[in-house]
Amino acid sequence: MKNFHYIRNIKFAKMEDINRLKVVLAEKKRTNKWLAEQMGVNPTTV
């Protein structure tokens, strides 16, 4: 599937959704590492 990424073995996300996530994290002054800790996953997954 073109332009899709597998996330947490549950659902697919469009590249636009991933970019939006980056924007929201920056707005909230949060990092990928913080999000990974909240989700209980490895930071490389995020």
Side-chain angles (χ1 to χ4, degrees):
M1 299 178 106
K2 192 174 180 181
N3 294 327
F4 282 81
H5 294 275
Y6 209 66
I7 296 189
R8 294 201 71 198
N9 299 325
I10 297 172
K11 64 179 183 176
F12 289 95
K14 293 181 183 178
M15 198 61 175
E16 297 86 41
D17 296 335
I18 293 169
N19 290 335
R20 176 70 183 139
L21 179 58
K22 290 179 183 180
V23 169
V24 172
L25 286 172
E27 288 173 350
K28 303 288 185 182
K29 295 182 171 67
R30 301 290 185 174
T31 63
N32 288 356
K33 181 180 176 185
W34 174 85
L35 180 59
E37 289 170 356
Q38 299 304 305
M39 295 173 61
V41 298
N42 190 308
T44 57
T45 303
V46 178

